[in-house]
Amino acid sequence: MTEWMGLPPLATTHGGQIDSLIGWIHIFMLILFVGWGGFILYAVVRFRKSRNPVADYKGVTSHRSTYLEVGVAVVEAILLVGFAIPLWAARVEGLPPENEALIVHVTGEQFAWNIHYAGADKVFGRTDIKLIDLQSNPLGLDRSDPAAKDDITTVGQLHLPVNKPIIVYLRSKDVIHSFGVPEFRVKQDAVPGLTIPIWFIPTITTADMRTRTGNAAFEYEIACAQLCGLGHARMRGIVTVETAEEFQKWTAETTAEQAGAAADPFR
Ligand SMILES: [Cu+2]
């Protein structure tokens, strides 16, 4: 129903609702545009100077325009109360239970996305601002904390299993960034000092999307959607949606790699 809008392909369960809301807004706005445009043309012709050489100080006496304006307000109220608020509530309040979801911490900074997984123990290791090293440890993860032993951190590489609820806790280290993945119909500001949860269920793996779109180089991309500084345009991240087995394999390999690197200071 929403193909006519030319949106990017859809790859989450909730995205269809967002698309239909965007569709309805376009339809109502088109009606408004035609209505108001027609009214202006009518007024220009109807009240032209040659027909009305002397100003009329009484003005309009009919109530038709009032009814019309009330009608527009009612349609807008229906859009807001009937569509936008319920959808917003489901996205913001209806978080899935944490034990059924994959939880990822995503922290924006000028100009990168830092990704942090808790690893097999599902407990995020301690982070400390004093341990932050922009090159080797941008999140300040304390590898001596037992909970951090199996944690995974990456810069700009977000791996997600398909068909599983994902909760992303969004943060920012410096300015306001925005986590936007167009195919997921997800876009949320990352605000310094706040931890903002967002959730979604990806439905199509990167490999499937490559087949569907016929684009062998297709990648889901995290695009920073707030102008956050000079390097904003290169603040990109790659989201790899894969099968549960592939995700498991990636997790195991990356955990082993990073735990090894942490244990060997000369590496
Ligand atoms: Cu940014």
Side-chain angles (χ1 to χ4, degrees):
M1 175 235 161
T2 47
E3 284 76 25
W4 55 274
M5 292 189 292
L7 291 166
L10 176 63
T12 47
T13 50
H14 76 276
Q17 288 170 285
I18 307 264
D19 287 4
S20 79
L21 182 63
I22 296 175
W24 281 114
I25 289 173
H26 275 82
I27 291 166
F28 283 129
M29 290 309 123
L30 181 68
I31 294 170
L32 272 188
F33 174 75
V34 171
W36 287 130
F39 177 73
I40 285 179
L41 288 179
Y42 168 78
V44 164
V45 175
R46 172 73 177 74
F47 304 105
R48 66 188 184 276
K49 193 184 169 195
S50 62
R51 196 178 154 171
N52 307 273
V54 182
D56 173 1
Y57 292 102
K58 227 159 70 196
V60 179
T61 45
S62 112
H63 287 293
R64 232 178 300 162
S65 65
T66 314
Y67 299 146
L68 264 175
E69 280 186 45
V70 170
V72 168
V74 167
V75 169
E76 284 175 356
I78 291 173
L79 267 183
L80 191 65
V81 178
F83 293 87
I85 292 176
L87 183 52
W88 180 84
R91 301 310 307 153
V92 174
E93 301 292 339
L95 252 68
E98 295 216 337
N99 55 5
E100 288 168 22
L102 172 75
I103 297 168
V104 192
H105 290 180
V106 174
T107 305
E109 71 171 76
Q110 290 172 318
F111 296 96
W113 294 104
N114 296 291
I115 319 286
H116 185 185
Y117 296 87
D121 66 356
K122 299 199 167 156
V123 181
F124 284 88
R126 197 177 74 88
T127 54
D128 187 336
I129 200 164
K130 292 195 207 82
L131 296 171
I132 288 182
D133 178 298
L134 283 183
Q135 291 309 315
S136 63
N137 192 1
L139 287 168
L141 180 64
D142 180 1
R143 287 280 177 188
S144 67
D145 176 17
K149 290 268 187 284
D150 60 355
D151 284 22
I152 294 175
T153 62
T154 76
V155 178
Q157 292 295 332
L158 179 60
H159 282 246
L160 300 174
V162 74
N163 294 327
K164 188 179 169 88
I166 312 291
I167 302 178
V168 171
Y169 284 98
L170 258 190
R171 296 194 180 92
S172 170
K173 278 163 74 171
D174 36 41
V175 299
I176 297 175
H177 300 279
S178 181
F179 177 89
V181 184
E183 292 83 1
F184 291 176
R185 305 296 191 267
V186 159
K187 188 178 282 171
Q188 170 62 53
D189 280 5
V191 182
L194 295 181
T195 300
I196 302 174
I198 47 176
W199 75 278
F200 49 87
I201 305 177
T203 50
I204 304 173
T205 62
T206 300
D208 280 351
M209 202 51 128
R210 286 178 181 169
T211 326
R212 282 183 199 212
T213 57
N215 173 8
F218 175 87
E219 298 279 12
Y220 292 110
E221 190 180 299
I222 311 170
C224 183
Q226 288 283 12
L227 189 53
C228 58
L230 278 179
H232 165 69
R234 63 185 158 80
M235 186 165 169
R236 302 163 64 211
I238 300 294
V239 188
T240 308
V241 181
E242 49 202 359
T243 62
E245 298 76 43
E246 287 166 335
F247 177 73
Q248 203 58 49
K249 189 165 168 272
W250 177 81
T251 309
E253 282 172 7
T254 316
T255 308
E257 205 177 283
Q258 297 196 352
D264 177 5
F266 298 108
R267 204 180 118 136

